[in-house]
């Protein structure tokens, strides 16, 4: 009931994202039922039915990816103050998100079943003069177990993926060999990284017990005042001309200077709200290696013929499909590193405030934004390759099922990219509010967002085009 209430009272944008998940689930469910209908109407060719069912894995994966992205940006399942006191901890919120995803996908599966039965003529008469009876098995009874199993795939896999992604994680660092969760100088054990003797500060630097202080020049603490009696005031006594603090605390400029000098690693103000992110994603070399391996596998196995598509009747090879999969995986792995590199390039050559802000955000959000951008790049590359290969030679490629599958995969990946952008904006809401309080104009923030989008487009559009050309080159021979 709580999941239903949170679903009902959500904002319009949240409801639209859930409606997108339901629509994608409906399209994927219809494709699965169409594969079942084709197998029922062509029992003499089980390989073709299995191939159509295998091609449904792409829309299924895109739908699950969209469902996970929408669940991550759902504000109803974010931890808020007071919810834990009501029994809504991280595990309960994760369960609510899983139930919400299951409800959206189940709604889409039911719509797919109703539309499929309508096209078969089971609810009303046969529409479109029976033009779609080839893949609907209009004269055959639908097996109930197979139908329910196929319709349960999208809600089940999407719910499991959301539960795996949003599962509660321990915020404490994992304790490895010689690691320890807290304490200094052996109070609670060994630290995760070894410290030098004076890293935290010399003994007695922060202590004011009995007027003790470190001797000038870095001498050892003796428990007494080690300064020579030359008229220098004792600790806690202000010097001549130096007013005493109003709150009654002692003011010792020399002691504060020594304390700051004893902390070389203390955080200092650098003049920017967001410091430069340290390190880049580690998947860039692996991504290019997998991309090259995919192109090599495709070039080696493309000699046996073209690839079989859902609306096509020609034969194909599994090696070419494996090469395509490796190429897409390489693009996805390399995309976060390329996004981080794009942010660095924006800050090159004496950047101003606009380029500096856009580059820092790209570097900070490389892991969150780069992966969906890589998926969109891989889908665009694959779509361009299939269109270039089969656009003029095989008109059957542009069948209704192929068009529906292409629209599903493309729409889900683009919607996931926009959802990831919404998540990134939510994560840096505090920084944006701080910039607005400091007087940053709203136009500059919008210009920085447009600059980030343009930089990603300039970098990834040629990459997708070149990858598509290299993918289609061995298949066109």
């Amino acid at each position: 009931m709580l999941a239903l209430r949170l679903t009902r009272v959500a904002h319009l944008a949240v409801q639209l994202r859930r409606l997108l998940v339901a629509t994608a689930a409906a399209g994927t469910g219809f494709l699965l039922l169409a594969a079942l209908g084709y197998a029922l109407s062509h029992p003499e060719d089980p390989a073709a039915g299995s191939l159509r069912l295998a091609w449904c894995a792409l829309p299924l994966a895109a739908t699950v990816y969209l469902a996970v992205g929408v669940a991550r940006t759902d504000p109803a399942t974010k931890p808020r103050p007071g919810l834990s006191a009501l029994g809504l901890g991280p595990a309960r919120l994760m369960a609510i998100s899983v139930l919400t995803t299951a409800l959206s996908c189940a709604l889409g599966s039911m719509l797919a079943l109703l539309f499929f039965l309508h096209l078969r003529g089971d609810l009303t008469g046969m529409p479109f003069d029976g033009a779609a009876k080839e893949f609907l098995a209009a004269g055959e009874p639908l097996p109930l177990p197979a139908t329910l199993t196929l319709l349960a795939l999208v809600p089940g896999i999407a719910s499991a993926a959301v539960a795996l992604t949003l599962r509660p994680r321990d915020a404490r660092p994992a304790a490895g060999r010689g690691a320890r969760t807290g304490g200094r100088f052996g109070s609670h054990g060994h630290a995760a990284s070894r410290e030098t003797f004076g890293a935290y500060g010399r003994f007695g630097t922060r202590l004011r017990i009995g007027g003790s202080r470190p001797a000038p020049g870095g001498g050892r603490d003796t428990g007494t005042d080690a300064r020579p009696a030359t008229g220098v005031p004792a600790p806690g006594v202000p010097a001549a001309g130096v007013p005493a603090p109003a709150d009654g605390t002692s003011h010792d400029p020399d002691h504060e200077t020594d304390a700051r000098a004893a902390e070389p690693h203390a955080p200092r103000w650098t003049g920017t709200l967001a410091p430069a992110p340290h390190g880049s994603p580690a998947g860039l070399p692996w991504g290019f290696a997998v991309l090259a391996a995919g192109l090599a596998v495709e070039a080696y196995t493309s000699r046996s013929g073209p690839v079989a598509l859902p609306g096509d009747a020609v034969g194909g090879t599994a090696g070419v499909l494996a090469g395509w999969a490796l190429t897409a995986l390489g693009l996805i792995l390399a995309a976060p590193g390329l996004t981080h590199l794009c942010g660095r390039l924006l800050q090159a050559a004496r950047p101003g405030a606009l380029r500096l802000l856009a580059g820092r955000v790209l570097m900070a959000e490389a892991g969150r934004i780069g992966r969906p951008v890589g998926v969109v790049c891989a889908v665009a590359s694959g779509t361009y390759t299939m269109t270039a290969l089969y656009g003029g030679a095989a008109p059957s490629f542009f069948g209704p099922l192929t068009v529906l599958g292409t629209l599903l995969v493309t729409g889900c990946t683009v919607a996931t990219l926009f959802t990831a952008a919404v998540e990134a904006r939510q994560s840096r809401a505090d920084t944006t509010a701080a910039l607005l309080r400091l007087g940053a104009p709203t136009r500059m923030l919008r210009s920085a967002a447009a600059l980030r989008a343009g930089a990603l487009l300039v970098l990834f559009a040629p990459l997708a085009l070149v990858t598509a050309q290299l993918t289609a080159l061995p298949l066109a021979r």
Side-chain angles (χ1 to χ4, degrees):
M1 294 299 297
L2 182 59
L4 290 176
R5 288 186 178 182
L6 291 177
T7 302
R8 181 177 57 86
V9 301
H11 295 288
L12 180 60
V14 180
Q15 299 286 14
L16 288 178
R17 291 197 291 266
R18 292 170 180 169
L19 184 60
L20 282 178
V21 174
T23 305
T28 305
F30 182 80
L31 287 178
L32 291 171
L33 293 177
L36 176 62
Y38 185 86
L40 291 176
S41 58
H42 297 81
E44 72 282 353
D45 192 6
S50 301
L51 180 64
R52 288 173 177 264
L53 187 62
W55 272 105
C56 293
L58 293 178
L60 177 60
T63 302
V64 171
Y65 192 48
L66 175 62
V68 172
V70 170
R72 289 171 60 94
T73 57
D74 194 348
T77 58
K78 299 293 183 182
R80 284 171 289 180
L83 290 182
S84 297
L86 297 175
L88 295 177
R92 291 287 183 89
L93 293 178
M94 181 268 294
I96 292 174
S97 182
V98 169
L99 289 177
T100 304
T101 304
L103 287 175
S104 301
C105 295
L107 176 62
S109 297
M110 294 304 298
L111 292 177
L113 178 60
L114 292 177
F115 188 67
F116 185 76
L117 293 178
H118 173 68
L119 291 182
R120 277 172 50 92
D122 295 339
L123 301 180
T124 58
M126 177 70 71
F128 306 116
D129 298 330
K133 64 173 60 177
E134 179 183 0
F135 59 88
L136 295 180
E140 300 289 337
L142 284 178
L144 184 60
T147 303
L148 294 180
T149 300
L150 291 178
L151 290 178
L153 282 179
V154 179
I157 297 177
S159 301
V162 170
L164 184 63
T165 304
L166 301 182
R167 68 187 186 277
R169 296 179 176 87
D170 192 0
R172 294 175 299 179
R177 186 179 64 179
R180 194 180 285 259
T181 56
R184 289 182 180 268
F185 300 111
S187 59
H188 293 85
H190 304 285
S193 59
R194 296 189 61 184
E195 298 175 345
T196 59
F197 181 75
Y200 183 68
R202 300 181 185 276
F203 287 111
T205 301
R206 289 173 172 77
L207 299 179
R208 295 179 181 268
I209 302 176
S212 62
R213 58 170 293 141
R220 182 174 299 180
D221 184 20
T222 59
T224 58
D225 191 7
R227 283 187 292 181
T230 57
V232 181
V237 179
V242 179
D247 56 355
T249 58
S250 61
H251 178 78
D252 193 352
D254 296 336
H255 181 76
E256 294 178 357
T257 304
D258 294 340
R260 286 193 299 266
E263 291 184 301
H265 302 290
R268 291 183 174 88
W269 175 255
T270 58
T272 57
L273 285 176
H278 298 285
S280 60
L284 185 58
W286 289 103
F288 280 113
V290 174
L291 176 63
L295 293 175
V297 169
E298 182 186 354
Y300 181 76
T301 59
S302 62
R303 306 171 184 176
S304 57
V307 183
L309 297 170
D312 208 350
V314 296
T317 60
V320 176
L321 297 180
W324 280 6
L326 287 177
T327 303
L329 180 61
L331 287 174
I332 296 172
L333 290 177
L338 291 176
T339 305
H340 191 275
L341 178 62
C342 186
R344 283 190 175 277
L345 292 178
L346 278 179
Q347 303 175 72
R350 302 179 64 181
L354 182 61
R355 286 197 294 137
L356 186 64
L357 179 61
R360 289 286 176 88
V361 171
L362 273 183
M363 292 172 64
E365 303 293 339
R368 183 180 286 113
I369 296 294
R371 195 67 50 85
V373 170
V375 173
V376 171
C377 186
V379 170
S381 176
T383 304
Y384 180 84
T385 301
M386 290 190 296
T387 304
L389 289 177
Y390 295 93
S396 60
F397 163 69
F398 294 100
L401 293 182
T402 304
V403 173
L404 177 60
T406 305
L407 290 178
L408 268 177
V409 174
T410 306
C412 287
T413 51
V414 173
T416 307
L417 176 59
F418 284 108
T419 305
V422 171
E423 182 185 3
R425 187 181 62 182
Q426 292 176 355
S427 66
R428 62 174 184 272
D430 296 338
T431 303
T432 304
L435 288 173
L436 292 176
R437 287 196 302 268
L438 289 175
T442 309
R443 179 182 299 178
M444 187 187 71
L445 300 179
R446 295 175 180 173
S447 301
L451 182 59
R452 292 194 300 269
L456 291 177
L457 184 63
V458 169
L459 178 63
F460 281 95
L463 177 63
L465 183 60
V466 170
T467 305
Q469 293 288 348
L470 293 177
T471 305
L473 184 60
L475 299 177
R477 294 180 302 178

